[in-house]
Amino acid sequence: MSALDIGIIIGYFVIMLLLGLYAGKRQKGFDDYFLGGRSMGALTLGCLWMAGWIGGSSVSGTATYGYTMGITGVWYVLSIAVGVLLFGFTMTAPVKRISDKINNITIPDFMEARYDEKTRLVTTLSIVISTIGFVSSQFVVGASALNVLTGWGLGKCYILTAVTITIYVAVGGLLAVTYTDAVQMILLLGGVVLCGVPIALAALKQSGQGLRDLPPEYFLLGARGWENILALTVSTSISFFTMSDSYTRCISAKSAKTARNGTFVAAGAVMIIALSCTFLGMAAKLILPEEVAGNNALPALIVHAFPMGIRGLALVGILSAVMSTADISILIGSTSITKDVYMRYVNPKFDEKKSVLIGVAVAVVIGAIACWFGWYMNDVVSILLLTYTINSAGLFLPVVCAFFWKKGSANGAFASILGAAVVIFAWYILGQTTDLPLFQVSSLWPALLVSVTLFFGLSLTHKQNEVEKKKAETFIAVARGSDS
């Protein structure tokens, strides 16, 4: 790494902090800090959608699959485009309508408005736990990438990544996330796509090679196995319906139409990233003289083939993917605890300025806990699997049915979320403490089975009381835009 490349990386961290401070001065209250003033356009929302889902693991993982398996690696990110489009077509309008009418801003808000208080509580716990896990995974990926790219000590890289992200999010809220994510997506597209693809093409031409020199199996779209591809696409799509940031983006939009159009912008950008990173991984297979281990195919290609200066820009693009995913996750955790715990149970008669200060403090605490957890566990795959399972298995049915099925009951929703969580943690503990093959299978499937059984079983066998009926009818009428 040259001094210029390292200077670009250091400058990037400084700019992120300055944008956070600038956003902190511009925010005027609760809505600005947590929702960006509810006035975001489709392009801004598209950047936020893309930033939240295209993390370091997506960029590096896609390139690595391209390096080891070929074109089938595109599914690693293409499944994200499928998920964001499904959510855009089905949920953006109902979520925006209900938020504007009832002033709900979090998934627990929606769950209490549709079901009851106890369902709100277990939803909040699920979201906070999964958010900490997700932030931790991004800290680990960011530190590892920075360590490989700069040669700095892993501890130093980890602290630098975690502290920078936590500070600019805590100080600036969603405005800071918006500003920094816009810059980070430009850096990602510029460094990895606009610069990376032409440079890789030039390197291939110079070496007298082309993708045609790869083995034939590298051009099989289903080489990963269609069953695995389907499972990946389904699990990713489910996550869109249960991740809090999906709802925050809808609520932050100028209108329901804007919220939906933002998902189209994101899907288009995600497809470009998927194709570009897959190509770079396949090119790396031909260009790099030695085999590359782990998720380092893309960083190794950049270090080997990119010229000075452009190398630093491309490396910053990878870091941008990491940081843009972690920052929105910290804000979501802060919003959940501030809105769904502090303002709901501790101080219902909240002062708006005080609530923002509480949000700042909570963001710092979440960053610190995630930092400790990621350093302690230091296994990105395990963290992500546990995080996605907690967030998806129990919440999917109660959340989606809240908007479209009047017979969904509060008891069914509560039992579904709690039952799935118990199964997940029990499965994880038994998988760590026993050698039984059963517990080496993903806990997603037994947790989903328990969730489906409890939700539909209790909803269909226990009659709703009048309060539940009224809440269901009102909620779904607003979601459909048919209330008067």
Side-chain angles (χ1 to χ4, degrees), residues 45 73 80 171 223 253 258 264 277 320 353 363 380 418 438 440 456:
L45 289 169
I80 295 174
V171 172
T258 302
F264 300 159
C277 290
S320 297
K353 290 185 177 180
V380 176
L418 185 60
L438 175 64
Q440 304 309 311
F456 286 120

Side-chain angles (χ1 to χ4, degrees), residues 367-388:
I369 294 173
C371 185
W372 169 82
F373 182 71
W375 184 260
Y376 171 78
M377 198 164 181
N378 200 31
D379 182 348
V380 176
V381 174
S382 296
I383 295 173
L384 283 175
L385 284 175
L386 188 61
T387 296
Y388 277 123

Side-chain angles (χ1 to χ4, degrees), residues 288-370:
L288 296 177
E290 298 179 0
E291 286 292 316
V292 177
N295 286 325
N296 295 325
L298 184 55
L301 175 66
I302 291 171
V303 171
H304 177 81
F306 285 32
M308 183 176 62
I310 300 297
R311 184 190 304 132
L313 179 62
L315 299 179
V316 162
I318 296 176
L319 290 174
S320 297
V322 174
M323 296 180 72
S324 63
T325 301
D327 59 19
I328 190 64
S329 300
I330 291 177
L331 184 65
I332 290 301
S334 175
T335 305
S336 293
I337 293 176
T338 305
K339 180 69 168 63
D340 300 316
V341 178
Y342 173 76
M343 293 167 59
R344 179 64 179 82
Y345 299 107
V346 180
N347 185 17
K349 297 180 180 179
F350 67 94
D351 175 78
E352 187 166 305
K353 290 185 177 180
K354 188 176 181 180
S355 69
V356 172
L357 292 176
I358 295 294
V360 171
V362 171
V364 172
V365 172
I366 288 175
I369 294 173

